[in-house]
Amino acid sequence: MASNHHHHHHLKKPHSSSSSSSTTYFYFFISILTLISLFLLSSHYLTSSTSPIIIPIPQYVPVSNNNNGAVSASSCDFTDGKWFYDPTARSQRYDDTCKEIYKGWNCIAGNRSGASEIVKWRWQPNHCALPSFDPIRFLKSHRDISIGFVGDSLNRNMFVSLFCSLKSVAGEVKKWRPAGADRGFTFLKYNLTIAYHRTNLLARYGRWSANGKGGELESLGFKEGYRVDVDIPESTWAEAPSFHNILIFNTGHWWWAPSKYDPVKSPMLFHENSQPIVPPLSPDVGLDLVLKRMISYVEEKARPGTVLFFRTQSPRHFEGGDWDEGGSCSRLQPLSSAEVEQFFSVQNNGTNVETRVVNDHIYEAIKGTAFRLLDITRMSEFRADAHPSSAGGKKHDDCMHWCLPGITDTWNDLFIAYLSKLRYETE
């Protein structure tokens, strides 16, 4: 980037008339240099108008640390900040050769336009520094610990980011499926296990069809749908709370999926104590009930000292329609604050409105519980440029999941910073 260098010339007062001509030549020379500088500066901006805007990175405000690098509890709100472009940045943790990256999220291998630029935007909290992830320190400080990600594919997105970051510096890794997990790994030198438990709704659910003998739902005219047992966790993660030391939950994307849970053709039919809830609940009321029951279940089953997080909703960035309506996400730079509001304002009731709507349910559900909020929403709302888009390998643009390496690396920075804060608080 062009920059101005200010040179201070200390000119002595001329001692004779013969020096006046040299002074004239000097000022003439300075004038010529100034004109050339202005020309070069203007041509730079004319030729770089399509390049990413390089924003100067502010000086970090020091954070108070203890000897273990833990951030003090009062030091920072990591979620309040901005994205800054750093043209020299590249993913220091892992690259597109990490085998655990799902093909549709490998934007570099998939030749997604601007894929290498995604990691050059760095999240900077407004009042302090978000510590950069040190995988060796993390492995050493989490020996004999087990971490479980429980939720939909967006939690897998985050899980894969953490795995690839640790795998790049760790030695031998054992692949297994602890406590019903979809996938899991143990870093043997440190006996650190991380696992992903797939569940779309948290609660158990499956197809429901009308019984020929009749019943309460049949008498109301229901012929088919999905039975959701609000008080029974899906078997994929039911044992997770009694196994893991740290748990990160999420849900939300499947609750606003009319293409699957059509309110007329295949509605969600909520059950409790094996009986249908009558009159039937709308999905948003059902979500509240499931969150309440599942949070209670986790608190009851978790071992003493288990650290519980609930991750906020990951924003989608479909423009021009939803995923099944030709929506796309071809931006190459983050959104402005004004654009973020256009995308996500509940008042606009746009394609991506679910993000903040779901968060309201989560905020309410964890009040007064042992769960802590892992708030990744605000920082992610800006990043319309960080999805796989047409490189996702689907028939439609993927504007929901995230490229790897990418923004979920920053989610893990946030997660690890919060763990450090907790450790600092308890020491």
Side-chain angles (χ1 to χ4, degrees):
M1 180 178 178
S3 60
N4 296 320
H5 300 281
H6 301 283
H7 301 284
H8 300 283
H9 299 277
H10 302 284
L11 300 176
K12 294 181 180 179
K13 189 176 180 180
H15 295 290
S16 65
S17 59
S18 62
S19 65
S20 62
S21 59
S22 61
T23 303
T24 304
Y25 281 123
F26 174 78
Y27 283 114
F28 178 74
F29 178 67
I30 290 296
S31 300
I32 294 296
L33 277 180
T34 303
L35 287 170
I36 291 171
S37 298
L38 287 170
F39 172 77
L40 290 173
L41 194 62
S42 62
S43 65
H44 165 79
Y45 281 109
L46 286 170
T47 56
S48 64
S49 60
T50 56
S51 302
I53 301 165
I54 301 172
I55 306 169
I57 296 170
Q59 288 293 308
Y60 284 142
V61 178
V63 292
S64 51
N65 282 22
N66 68 2
N67 293 333
N68 295 324
V71 183
S72 74
S74 60
S75 64
C76 190
D77 174 6
F78 295 123
T79 65
D80 177 25
K82 297 180 180 68
W83 290 98
F84 288 93
Y85 183 76
D86 179 359
T88 64
R90 60 188 180 87
S91 177
Q92 302 290 340
R93 325 167 184 240
Y94 62 94
D95 57 28
D96 60 299
T97 62
C98 178
K99 292 191 170 82
E100 189 61 18
I101 300 176
Y102 174 67
K103 184 179 178 182
W105 306 340
N106 197 327
C107 296
I108 293 173
N111 295 315
R112 188 227 192 265
S113 179
S116 61
E117 292 290 303
I118 290 170
V119 296
K120 294 183 179 180
W121 291 90
R122 188 152 50 81
W123 180 252
Q124 169 64 55
N126 286 333
H127 304 294
C128 61
L130 177 60
S132 56
F133 179 39
D134 183 337
I136 293 289
R137 170 181 276 174
F138 184 81
L139 286 163
K140 287 180 177 178
S141 62
H142 290 81
R143 289 180 187 274
D144 306 319
I145 292 289
S146 186
I147 301 172
F149 292 81
V150 179
D152 56 36
S153 54
L154 274 302
N155 249 13
R156 180 181 171 187
N157 219 170
M158 185 179 177
F159 159 80
V160 172
S161 162
L162 182 59
F163 169 78
C164 291
S165 300
L166 298 176
K167 179 68 173 70
S168 67
V169 298
E172 196 177 350
V173 176
K174 173 190 172 187
K175 188 174 183 178
W176 66 304
R177 297 173 59 187
D182 179 72
R183 59 218 314 111
F185 302 91
T186 295
F187 299 91
L188 295 177
K189 181 179 177 182
Y190 305 93
N191 193 31
L192 167 65
T193 296
I194 66 171
Y196 164 61
H197 299 258
R198 178 176 176 80
T199 173
N200 295 332
L201 304 177
L202 294 182
R204 185 178 75 181
Y205 77 100
R207 293 290 315 184
W208 177 90
S209 296
N211 188 319
K213 297 178 182 177
E216 284 189 281
L217 293 174
E218 288 84 350
S219 68
L220 294 171
F222 288 101
K223 294 183 172 60
E224 59 180 328
Y226 284 87
R227 171 174 170 160
V228 182
D229 287 281
V230 301
D231 51 348
I232 303 176
E234 199 159 13
S235 62
T236 52
W237 69 272
E239 301 302 319
S242 57
F243 180 86
H244 296 294
N245 307 100
I246 301 168
L247 285 160
I248 306 102
F249 286 82
N250 97 291
T251 194
H253 291 286
W254 288 74
W255 289 87
W256 267 256
S259 58
K260 184 172 182 66
Y261 307 115
D262 185 287
V264 176
K265 296 178 183 174
S266 54
M268 290 180 173
L269 300 169
F270 298 97
H271 286 62
E272 190 168 25
N273 297 321
S274 298
Q275 298 298 315
I277 298 174
V278 178
L281 307 177
S282 60
D284 59 325
V285 178
L287 172 59
D288 288 336
L289 198 52
V290 166
L291 288 172
K292 183 179 179 182
R293 294 287 187 271
M294 294 302 103
I295 285 171
S296 294
Y297 173 85
V298 173
E299 289 182 313
E300 183 185 324
K301 294 288 184 183
R303 294 186 294 182
T306 300
V307 178
L308 303 172
F309 287 103
F310 213 107
R311 180 177 61 71
T312 60
Q313 187 75 346
S314 172
R316 312 179 319 147
H317 287 92
F318 286 97
E319 295 188 74
D322 211 331
W323 68 271
D324 55 349
E325 301 166 341
S328 63
C329 46
S330 55
R331 293 180 184 246
L332 299 178
Q333 291 189 35
L335 301 174
S336 67
S337 294
E339 288 171 326
V340 164
E341 288 310 304
Q342 289 172 3
F343 263 77
F344 299 107
S345 169
V346 175
Q347 285 71 32
N348 289 349
N349 196 28
T351 302
N352 308 292
V353 73
E354 90 199 20
T355 303
R356 296 183 182 180
V357 171
V358 168
N359 278 354
D360 285 340
H361 291 268
I362 295 170
Y363 299 153
E364 196 60 35
I366 70 168
K367 280 181 183 175
T369 74
F371 277 79
R372 295 172 170 87
L373 201 67
L374 183 61
D375 190 352
I376 54 83
T377 302
R378 179 65 178 166
M379 63 164 57
S380 307
E381 284 181 339
F382 290 97
R383 298 305 304 274
D385 60 309
H387 297 284
S389 186
S390 56
K394 301 184 178 183
K395 292 178 181 177
H396 59 83
D397 273 21
D398 185 352
C399 306
M400 179 189 293
H401 301 98
W402 303 96
C403 295
L404 292 174
I407 190 175
T408 51
D409 301 336
T410 306
W411 293 4
N412 278 309
D413 287 342
L414 198 68
F415 164 56
I416 291 160
Y418 282 147
L419 286 180
S420 297
K421 284 174 73 169
L422 291 175
R423 181 165 294 188
Y424 180 87
E425 289 168 0
T426 56
E427 285 181 355

